Structure formats: C-alpha cells, structure tokens
C-alpha cells in the first residue's frame, strides 16, 4: 500500500532528499548532503517511498541512523530517501472508537477506513508537574484478591508481573470485562508484541461484552519489525492523551506486554551498535522506559489509569526489565507459578503483591485492618509449611492449627471464577464488590466457618455462597 494512504504529508522533494548508505536488518543509515532531519523525524525510503524510517541518532554532520518500521527487504544502497518534514502521527477523534488500528493508524479490523483527518504525533512531552492532577481514589476491579491486598489507584499505574503461562493476559482480559462495562470513560488497549490469536480473541470478547464502542485497540504484533513494537506504546499514549486532554474524559490504558517494548528496544539497540548493559539489555533501558511511563498521569480535566502486564524472564524478579518497571508503579500484582500449580486462580501471590493505596487514610481503617490480618495469617501459614511437611499437622500447637485452618479457608475464598474463562471451566464468572470481599474475610478471620469444609470456599463469589 502506498505510504500516501497511511500518512498525510507535504513533501518538497527538491530540498529534502537523501540516499541509503547502509542497511543492517531494521537499522538504516541515510546520508543527507543538506537539511539533515531532526531526531524522531519520519523519513520515507525506497523508489515507491513505501518504507517508513524514524531518525534515531546522528552519525556525523550529514549522516543519520534510522529505525525501519517496515521490512527492509528490497531496499538497496543508494535508494532515495525523502524527509517528510513530520513526525509519525496517529489518527485521533471520536471516529476511532470501536476500531482496531496499527502504529500507522491503518485499520486492521477489516472494516471501512477511518474518516478522521485529525492526527497527533506519537512523540509528546509529559505533562509538567504543575499541570498534573493528584488524587487518592481506589479503582475497584471486582477481583477479590486484588481489591483486598493490592488495590489499584484511579489515575495510577499498576503492573501484573509473572512468568510465562501464569495468567497475565487472562487477568488483563477479566479486568477489561469487569471495569470497562462500569467505567464511564474511554479504554485504550495497547498490544505490544501480541500474537494475532490473542488480538483476535480480545477483539471478539470486547465486541460480545458490548464495550467495544468506547474502546480503541492498537496493536504492534509479534511478527512486525522491532521498530513497530518499540513505538506502538507511544502511539497508544497519544490516543489516550487526546481523550484525556481534548475531550476531558477518564481513560483506562491497558498494555500487554511492557516487556515486549523493552525487548524491541534491546533489538534496536543491538542493531544500532550500542554496547549491551547488564544481562544483555540496552544501556538506554531506564531512559526509554521512563519516556513511556512518565506520560501516563492525571491532568486537571481527566485521569489516565494504566494496567500493564509485565513478563518476568525465567520468573526472576531481579531481572533489570522487571526492577525498572517496579519503580514506576503504584501497585504491583505478582502472579505466582507455585499458586497456579496448586490450582489457586487468579494465581496472585498475596505476600509479594503490594500497593501504595493500602493505607488506612485512603482505603479506610476497616479495609486496612482486615487486609493486614489476612496477610499476617497467610504469612504465618507459609512459615509453618515446612513443619507441616515434615511432622504433620498434628504436631502443631492449638493456636498454630487455628492459624492454618483460617489461612487455608482464606486462600480458597480469594480464588474466583472469571467471566472470560467460562468456556474453559464451565463455571459462571463472578464479580465481587469490595464490601462483600471484606465481609467474607472478616467472617473467616472470626472463625465463623471453622467447622465448614475448606473446599466449600473454593471458586465462589461472595461468602454467602458457602452455606448453599
């Protein structure tokens, strides 16, 4: 497809032409004898001008090193390069609601092209501190263990951390179903390095749930060049900022997966010839991540709440990718492979998950006390696990046996069937309010169900379902 159909531009070919000097995968060096383009400016390469490049760095007075957003197959040395004079932009406006687009703003949902002419550059400075809104309001999700132990912040950034196959995408999908239906705002889903199967399933699920009309889906798929995966997050942020700043609406930004953004940056960095840093990551990891994360904030007119899935390589939470993301978040929901193997879904680790919102001044004294007590019971049970494994439950003191009794019931009560997994499990999904979660945990802590079989608490909604 000609690039004229993707990006609106006004190019004067007489004054801004260059030529390809070298090509290394997705990195292209371009020579300009005059009018060297700015950093992040968009160039169009090839005889048909169908390969988009973005200026990444200067090599000398006349040469720039660029990232390619298309495959460079067929591009040759000496091929003409035109400076568009613009930055890569995405379409914005009401007409993109309900649509699925890529980093160029092309529709990829098989429907009619967008009818908007309004565009916004993908590179924007973050809001100044004086312009940011500050609030301390809990964002209720309907998932018991998250609302109780790691409550999310409206206008904050939350991360879902976990290795491969522990359920990050499932939890994100459930959050979309639970929150978008009750959320009076716009949802922007950003798929970085997503598989086409996941993208198609998400699009269909959101359509069936009736929440697509207030959502925008932006994908940089796994099979696309690293430049696309590296910049699709910035494109999604520009769309989210438009709805926050221009229409003054609350925005829910969901990102899956932020690790793929870091991975794409590492691929680009290696091709650009930078010396790798710790564990082979790019030396600019912290800067690149901050450029993305610092744009996610509240303004005086609207909020931007972000929930991000973060793949943890080899379940190693000391990996630089995971540790750098941790510092930007107000809530960290850690998914545990051990809990998944025990059949506790969602497989949230109650002891490793944290939130800055879990403060008595914000969530209230009752919520804080119940959450603290639940975490204490589960921590004591965790410490007793080795003794139980070696000597058996009978060797514990009466107080310890009571702790184990409560902890095992709490563990099972904090499991929950999801709406988005109904076709796998056959169990109807449950959405549980924070009040019902607190009531249930309080009654278990008070030993009201000490004689009830612990299996009665597994995969239920509210505590009232136990007596049925």
């Amino acid at each position: 497809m000609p690039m004229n159909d993707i990006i609106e531009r006004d190019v004067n070919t007489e004054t801004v032409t260059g030529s390809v000097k070298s090509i290394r995968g997705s990195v292209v060096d371009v020579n300009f004898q005059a009018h060297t383009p700015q950093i992040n400016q968009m160039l169009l390469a090839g005889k048909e001008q169908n390969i988009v490049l973005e200026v990444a760095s200067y090599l000398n007075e006349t040469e720039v090193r660029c990232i390619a957003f298309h495959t460079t197959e067929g591009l040759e040395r000496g091929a003409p390069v035109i400076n568009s004079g613009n930055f890569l932009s995405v379409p914005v406006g009401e007409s993109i609601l309900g649509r699925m687009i890529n980093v160029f703003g092309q529709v990829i949902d098989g429907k009619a092209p967008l009818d908007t002419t309004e565009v916004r550059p993908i590179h924007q400075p973050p809001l100044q501190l004086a312009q940011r809104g500050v609030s301390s309001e809990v964002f209720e999700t309907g998932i018991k263990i998250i609302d109780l132990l790691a409550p999310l912040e409206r206008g904050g950034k939350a991360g879902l951390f976990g290795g491969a196959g522990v359920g990050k995408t499932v939890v994100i999908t459930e959050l979309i179903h639970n929150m978008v239906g009750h959320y009076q705002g716009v949802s922007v889903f950003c798929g970085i390095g997503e598989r086409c199967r996941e993208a198609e399933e998400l699009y269909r699920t959101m359509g069936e749930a009736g929440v697509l009309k207030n959502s925008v889906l932006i994908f940089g798929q796994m099979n696309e060049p690293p430049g696309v995966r590296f910049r699709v997050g910035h494109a999604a942020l520009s769309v989210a900022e438009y709805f926050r700043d221009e229409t003054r609406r609350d925005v829910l930004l969901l990102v899956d997966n932020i690790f793929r953004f870091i991975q794409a940056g590492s691929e680009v960095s290696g091709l650009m010839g930078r010396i790798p840093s710790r564990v082979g990551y790019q030396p600019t990891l912290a800067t690149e991540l901050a450029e993305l994360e610092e744009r996610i904030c509240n303004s005086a007119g609207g909020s931007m709440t972000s929930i991000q899935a973060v793949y943890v390589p080899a379940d190693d939470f000391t990996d630089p990718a995971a540790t750098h993301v941790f510092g930007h978040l107000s809530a960290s929901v850690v998914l545990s492979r051990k809990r998944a193997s025990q059949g506790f879904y969602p497989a949230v680790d109650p002891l490793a998950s944290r939130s800055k919102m879990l403060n008595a001044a914000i969530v209230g004294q009752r919520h804080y006390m119940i959450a603290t007590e639940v975490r204490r019971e589960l921590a004591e049970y965790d410490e007793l696990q080795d003794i139980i494994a070696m000597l058996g439950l009978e060797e514990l003191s009466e107080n310890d046996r009571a702790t184990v009794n409560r902890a095992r019931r709490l563990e099972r009560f904090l499991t929950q069937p999801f709406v988005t997994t109904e076709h796998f499990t056959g169990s109807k999904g449950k959405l549980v309010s924070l009040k019902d979660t607190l009531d249930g945990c309080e009654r278990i802590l008070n030993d009201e169900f000490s004689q009830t079989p612990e299996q009665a608490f597994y995969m239920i909604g509210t505590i009232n379902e136990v007596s049925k």
Side-chain angles (χ1 to χ4, degrees):
M1 179 181 287
M3 289 310 301
N4 309 55
D5 296 341
I6 299 174
I7 301 151
E8 188 175 329
R9 56 190 176 86
D10 181 17
V11 178
N12 184 345
T13 56
E14 294 180 2
T15 58
V16 282
T17 55
S19 61
V20 172
K21 183 182 179 186
S22 67
I23 305 161
R24 288 186 308 284
S26 294
V27 170
V28 180
D29 291 350
V30 181
N31 190 310
F32 283 88
Q33 291 303 319
H35 304 289
T36 308
Q38 301 174 35
I39 294 291
N40 295 332
Q41 205 149 30
M42 184 180 69
L43 313 179
L44 303 174
K47 293 176 182 176
E48 297 179 4
Q49 301 164 26
N50 59 347
I51 297 175
V52 175
L53 309 176
E54 183 183 273
V55 179
S57 64
Y58 294 116
L59 297 177
N60 53 47
E61 291 179 357
T62 60
E63 291 178 19
V64 292
R65 183 157 285 171
C66 308
I67 305 169
F69 286 83
H70 293 89
T71 176
T72 53
E73 185 179 354
L75 189 64
E76 57 189 19
R77 292 178 64 182
V81 179
I82 294 176
N83 180 1
S84 69
N86 300 319
F87 299 100
L88 187 63
S89 301
V90 286
V92 292
E94 298 295 324
S95 65
I96 69 169
L97 291 173
R99 305 305 300 271
M100 183 158 60
I101 62 176
N102 62 15
V103 72
F104 304 110
Q106 288 175 297
V107 293
I108 52 175
D109 53 13
K111 297 180 181 176
L114 298 173
D115 58 4
T116 181
T117 56
E118 191 174 359
V119 295
R120 191 179 179 107
I122 67 169
H123 296 285
Q124 299 282 350
L127 280 182
Q128 296 180 2
L129 293 177
Q131 298 174 309
R132 300 191 179 207
V134 180
S135 65
S136 297
E137 186 182 347
V138 172
F139 199 75
E140 200 171 319
T141 67
I143 299 175
K144 290 183 284 190
I145 193 165
I146 293 177
D147 287 342
L148 176 70
L149 299 176
L152 308 187
E153 178 186 6
R154 183 180 290 277
K157 290 178 279 232
L160 289 172
F161 291 83
V166 295
K168 297 183 297 298
T169 301
V170 172
V171 175
I172 280 258
T173 310
E174 185 71 7
L175 287 168
I176 291 171
H177 178 275
N178 291 1
M179 295 196 292
V180 173
H182 308 283
Y183 189 71
Q184 301 304 311
V186 173
S187 302
V188 178
F189 181 90
C190 176
I192 305 176
E194 285 283 272
R195 301 167 184 88
C196 60
R197 169 186 60 79
E198 294 171 334
E200 190 275 332
E201 285 176 1
L202 178 70
Y203 183 73
R204 185 157 32 84
T205 300
M206 293 180 75
E208 291 169 356
V211 298
L212 196 58
K213 63 181 182 298
N214 289 320
S215 307
V216 183
L217 288 78
I218 304 176
F219 286 97
Q221 290 172 216
M222 189 173 275
N223 65 319
E224 297 190 77
V228 171
R229 289 178 272 126
F230 191 48
R231 289 302 185 212
V232 70
H234 294 272
L237 272 166
S238 290
V239 173
E241 287 168 343
Y242 168 83
F243 285 109
R244 181 196 65 191
D245 299 336
E246 303 300 325
T247 67
R248 294 185 170 269
R249 280 188 267 188
D250 291 340
V251 179
L252 178 61
L253 176 66
L254 300 126
V255 184
D256 188 10
N257 184 307
I258 205 74
F259 175 78
R260 305 286 180 208
F261 164 77
I262 294 171
Q263 195 174 44
S266 181
E267 290 179 47
V268 169
S269 180
L271 289 168
M272 290 183 68
R274 295 179 185 144
I275 298 172
S277 182
R278 191 159 65 97
V279 201
Y281 286 106
Q282 63 269 41
T284 51
L285 190 158
T287 306
E288 291 167 359
L289 187 64
E291 283 176 355
L292 192 76
E293 296 281 3
E294 289 303 302
R295 289 173 64 182
I296 304 171
C297 62
N298 293 348
S299 67
S303 71
M304 189 190 297
T305 305
S306 174
I307 300 170
Q308 307 167 15
V310 187
Y311 168 68
V312 181
D315 294 339
D316 179 14
F317 284 89
T318 63
D319 188 270
T323 54
H324 279 90
V325 175
F326 267 120
H328 291 279
L329 306 175
S330 56
S332 305
V333 179
V334 177
L335 300 176
S336 158
R337 194 172 301 283
K338 179 183 175 184
R339 288 184 66 80
S341 68
Q342 293 171 329
F344 296 135
Y345 293 102
V348 176
D349 188 330
L351 303 179
S353 300
R354 287 284 183 270
S355 172
K356 294 175 183 175
M357 299 299 285
L358 194 57
N359 183 307
I362 297 170
V363 299
Q365 189 68 27
R366 179 172 179 248
H367 182 168
Y368 178 74
M369 293 304 294
I370 291 173
T372 304
E373 192 64 20
V374 166
R375 189 169 272 145
R376 187 182 67 79
E377 294 280 349
L378 294 174
E380 288 185 11
Y381 175 49
D382 192 54
E383 290 174 2
L384 293 169
Q385 294 275 28
D386 289 340
I387 298 173
I388 295 169
M390 288 187 291
L391 304 176
L393 199 60
E394 297 75 20
E395 296 301 317
L396 297 178
S397 67
E398 191 174 333
N399 282 342
D400 284 346
R401 281 202 297 274
T403 296
V404 171
N405 190 309
R406 287 191 292 269
R408 289 178 67 86
R409 282 158 177 74
L410 284 167
E411 275 187 332
R412 283 153 181 78
F413 176 64
L414 292 175
T415 62
Q416 189 171 343
F418 280 176
V419 174
T420 51
T421 58
E422 283 180 4
H423 55 294
F424 295 120
T425 63
S427 302
K428 184 173 174 56
K430 304 289 175 66
L431 180 69
V432 184
S433 70
L434 177 60
K435 179 183 180 301
D436 289 336
T437 302
L438 294 175
D439 289 344
C441 291
E442 191 171 46
R443 290 171 70 182
I444 293 170
L445 289 169
N446 290 335
D447 290 330
E448 192 175 322
F449 297 95
S450 59
Q451 302 305 313
T452 306
E454 59 189 40
Q455 199 59 26
F457 297 86
Y458 183 68
M459 284 294 173
I460 62 170
T462 67
I463 198 71
N464 296 329
E465 295 177 34
V466 172
S467 56
K468 293 181 181 179

